[in-house]
Every structure is written in C-alpha cells, then in structure tokens.
Amino acid sequence: MDINWKGYPNAPDFESYTVYKDNKEVAVITDITKLSFTDPDVVCGKSYCYRVVASVKGVESISDAICKEIDSNDKPESISDLYTTVAKQGVLVDWSIPGGGEALSERIRKANGGGNFQDIPASQVKKPFADSAVDVNRLSYCYQVAYQSACRTNSDFSSSVCTIFASQQDNYIQWTSANPFTSALVSYRVQVVDAQGTVIGSQNVGLQTKVSLTSLTIPIQSGYAYRIEALSESGRVSVSNTIPLFESVRIYVPQAFSPNGDAQHDIFLPKMLNVTQMKMVIFDRWGNPIFSSEDMNRGWDGLVNGSPAPVGSYSYRVDIRNDAGNSFTKRGVFSAHSVREECPIVRSAFGGRTFLMLNYLLLQLVNKNDNSTCLI
C-alpha cells in the first residue's frame, strides 16, 4: 500500500513525518523531502486507515485519515510451505499461505501411486486436509495445493509432496524417494515402534532409501514394526506406513544328492525358513521338466516315470512366498550321484525274437558277490 502526502513548507525547525496505520505508528521519516511511504504488511480484502503527523519544534500538524480496502489483480505467490505425512486417519496434508495471509478458498489435487492428478471435491477440502480414501500400506500418494487470495485472485498449484511408502523385501527395508515436503529433505530415520505406535528406537540413515536389516542396531522383538521418519530443512516431520517385522527368508538347496536307497541323501529337497508357499520344478539336461512339487516336505526321489534318472547334472527352479506376501525365485544346478540300479535282465536273441531269461540260478550267479541281490 502506497501512502503519499504534500510536503511541509521548508522550515529549519522541521523534525519528522510520522505515519500511523490504524492509529499505530509504522514509520518515522526525518527527511523533509521524502513524501511517501510503502506499507508491505497488508492483506487483500482488508481495509486500513492511514494519517501523517508532521512535527515542527514540538508542534504537530495532523493530516486527515485516509481509509482504503486493499485490492489487486496480481497473481498471488504459490504455496511454498506444504507437507504430507501418514497419520492414524490415513494421510494428513497441511500448508501455510505465503506472507501469513488468509485464503478465501483452497484447491487440492491428488495422484495415486504415480498416476495423474485429480481434483479433490471442494466440499472435502479444508486446512489441514485429512484424506481417508487411501491405502498407505500399498501406495504412495502425492498432493498439490492452490488457493484464492483475499483479492479473489488464484495462485498456481504448489509443487508436489508425496507420502513415504515403505516395504520389506527379504532382508531389506526400502521406501519411495519422492519428497513429502516442499522444502529440502535433510535425512531419514528408521524407527522401531511397538503395537501402540510408541517409538522404541531410531537410527539415522542419511538420504538412503534402502537399508539392510542387519545394518540396523535398534532393538527388535516380536510385535514390533518398522517405519520411516523424514526430516525437512524447515523442521517439518513426515512418517511412512508401518511395516510388521517379518523374518527374512532362508533357503538352502543341496548341490548334490544320491538316491541309491541307503537312506543317506536319497531325496533332493531344499530346506526353507519363513516361507509360506513353495513350488519346485526339476529339469533334465535338455530343459524338460521331470518333477514338480508344491509341498515343502516332498522332494525328488530321483525317479522319472518310475525309473531311476541317469547320473548327471539337473537344474531346478524354486518359487517361494513369505509371510509378507513377497515372492522370490531361486534357480540353480545340482548333481545326482550313485543312482539306484535296476535288477539285471538277461536278454538273448533267437529266431528274430527277444526272450527274457528269468533263470533264478543265473540271477543268483550274476549277483553272488552283490549283497543287494535282486530276486525276480
């Protein structure tokens, strides 16, 4: 708001001009030639009354008061102090109007999981904004805010702020990197919380967005959960969804087995911990599937269609799922040794025909030095 006045006649006894705004002193000017004052502390839509008092050798000359309602066609400054956080009611979004002014109304746009922004119905918009139409354990949500100033001019939308979505992948915690603040993000902390949401401990991890559970020194016990806390340059705080603590998947796959019936390593079966579902497929050297199982207690006994498989190398694929619903696949190669032998069969050709010589004595003779004599 610009205030101008006529100058006091040149007088050696001039002391000052004093500017009053709504009967409060806002400026004292001692230069007799300066005949204006700009008041930056005004808000559109409000009325202010000004007067100027000239002081000359202890005598005051008081002007009439001039009152004016502030109006402007200028576009207001965009919101630069905006943040979002996961909260009990879903997602909380809050902001400040530039200059501490007031807004006649606000608009909010929302994007789900990196999708397109869509307007929130005006009837639902209020400051702060609580969004319950979310699933914070599945997606990150981004928001932009614009406002109409008291002068009824509309700002541009702010830059985006997005909730932190955290998840566990095997032995790691990872989270989205989109900023929940319009100000700079300073650091992240991994927090451990109990069932009531009380923070048990935390560890600063800088600006990383993926950390190994083994690198954390926070005390852990059953019933605890993880979450991520972000700190902004302006002092704002944002937290992620909570992640129930799941033990990491453990799987051991043998490199070889010997299905020879001696009760030692006769079954090819991976050993697994913290796995809820499993499917294993065995392939021969040409890539053909020869065995499959979805039972974590049922492995391959070395038989293919009821007959022993040849000694040699085989490949496997194991698809597993853990308590958190995360899926993993492990592939590899293993060897089959000392495959069980079939009973000897003696064949003789006669007159173009092949006969089985099932002579018990002959079989005894063939196997007389074999402790595992096979009788037919």
Side-chain angles (χ1 to χ4, degrees):
M1 177 70 175
D2 293 327
I3 307 298
N4 300 279
W5 60 89
K6 290 183 178 180
Y8 192 85
N10 189 18
D13 297 329
F14 174 82
E15 295 177 354
S16 65
Y17 296 119
T18 303
V19 181
Y20 290 86
K21 172 186 176 182
D22 294 337
N23 296 320
K24 294 181 180 179
E25 181 183 298
V26 292
V28 176
I29 301 169
T30 57
D31 182 355
I32 193 172
T33 63
K34 185 174 181 180
L35 305 175
S36 65
F37 168 72
T38 299
D39 183 7
D41 188 19
V42 293
V43 176
C44 267
K46 287 191 174 182
S47 295
Y48 301 94
C49 293
Y50 296 87
R51 59 186 174 86
V52 178
V53 176
S55 298
V56 181
K57 204 174 184 177
V59 178
E60 293 184 342
S61 176
I62 304 173
S63 72
D64 293 332
I66 297 177
C67 298
K68 184 177 180 181
E69 181 178 339
I70 305 301
D71 192 12
S72 174
N73 292 321
D74 295 337
K75 179 177 291 188
E77 180 184 349
S78 298
I79 292 173
S80 58
D81 181 17
L82 170 70
Y83 84 105
T84 184
T85 183
V86 173
K88 289 183 178 180
Q89 64 269 40
V91 170
L92 181 70
V93 184
D94 201 3
W95 59 90
S96 297
I97 301 300
E102 297 181 0
L104 293 181
S105 62
E106 286 103 351
R107 292 177 59 199
I108 299 179
R109 297 197 300 201
K110 170 185 174 182
N112 300 346
N116 296 326
F117 279 94
Q118 296 183 344
D119 285 339
I120 299 292
S123 59
Q124 300 177 18
V125 175
K126 64 178 181 179
K127 181 182 180 306
F129 173 63
D131 189 1
S132 60
V134 293
D135 184 354
V136 296
N137 293 312
R138 192 173 65 91
L139 293 174
S140 171
Y141 297 87
C142 297
Y143 301 86
Q144 298 174 338
V145 180
Y147 69 99
Q148 186 180 71
S149 73
C151 288
R152 301 188 183 280
T153 53
N154 297 316
S155 75
D156 291 330
F157 275 96
S158 67
S159 57
S160 301
V161 294
C162 303
T163 59
I164 305 169
F165 169 60
S167 60
Q168 180 180 346
Q169 293 292 332
D170 195 15
N171 199 40
Y172 290 86
I173 299 176
Q174 59 188 17
W175 55 95
T176 50
S177 60
N179 198 341
F181 317 108
T182 47
S183 57
L185 194 153
V186 174
S187 65
Y188 294 106
R189 288 181 179 273
V190 177
Q191 295 182 327
V192 172
V193 297
D194 63 16
Q196 288 72 44
T198 303
V199 177
I200 304 300
S202 66
Q203 185 171 328
N204 193 314
V205 294
L207 293 174
Q208 298 181 78
T209 56
K210 182 178 182 179
V211 295
S212 169
L213 294 177
T214 57
S215 69
L216 301 176
T217 59
I218 317 169
I220 297 295
Q221 70 180 44
S222 178
Y224 284 0
Y226 292 106
R227 75 178 180 191
I228 306 303
E229 179 187 70
L231 306 176
S232 79
E233 190 175 54
S234 63
R236 298 282 197 184
V237 177
S238 178
V239 296
S240 74
N241 56 304
T242 57
I243 314 167
L245 175 61
F246 293 104
E247 295 290 341
S248 58
V249 168
R250 306 292 183 188
I251 178 169
Y252 167 74
V253 182
Q255 295 181 340
F257 81 130
S258 55
N260 55 12
D262 64 356
Q264 298 292 323
H265 311 296
D266 283 338
I267 303 297
F268 178 80
L269 178 64
K271 303 297 183 182
M272 291 168 279
L273 290 175
N274 308 314
V275 172
T276 56
Q277 291 180 316
M278 179 277 288
K279 180 178 180 180
M280 177 177 69
V281 181
I282 307 297
F283 303 90
D284 64 18
R285 69 185 63 185
W286 296 281
N288 300 311
I290 57 176
F291 174 82
S292 67
S293 173
E294 296 185 16
D295 183 346
M296 285 184 280
N297 298 311
R298 176 174 172 259
W300 184 40
D301 59 4
L303 297 178
V304 179
N305 296 325
S307 300
V311 170
S313 296
Y314 296 84
S315 61
Y316 66 86
R317 170 179 170 146
V318 181
D319 297 310
I320 56 179
R321 183 182 294 271
N322 68 359
D323 292 338
N326 300 318
S327 298
F328 310 90
T329 297
K330 185 173 179 65
R331 296 179 175 88
V333 176
F334 67 99
S335 299
H337 300 298
S338 303
V339 176
R340 63 169 64 86
E341 297 180 358
E342 293 180 286
C343 294
I345 298 177
V346 181
R347 298 179 183 273
S348 176
F350 179 78
R353 293 185 177 182
T354 301
F355 295 93
L356 295 179
M357 309 294 290
L358 304 179
N359 187 298
Y360 175 77
L361 294 176
L362 180 58
L363 289 176
Q364 291 295 313
L365 178 63
V366 170
N367 293 289
K368 67 179 181 179
N369 296 319
D370 187 350
N371 294 328
S372 59
T373 300
C374 190
L375 298 180
I376 299 181

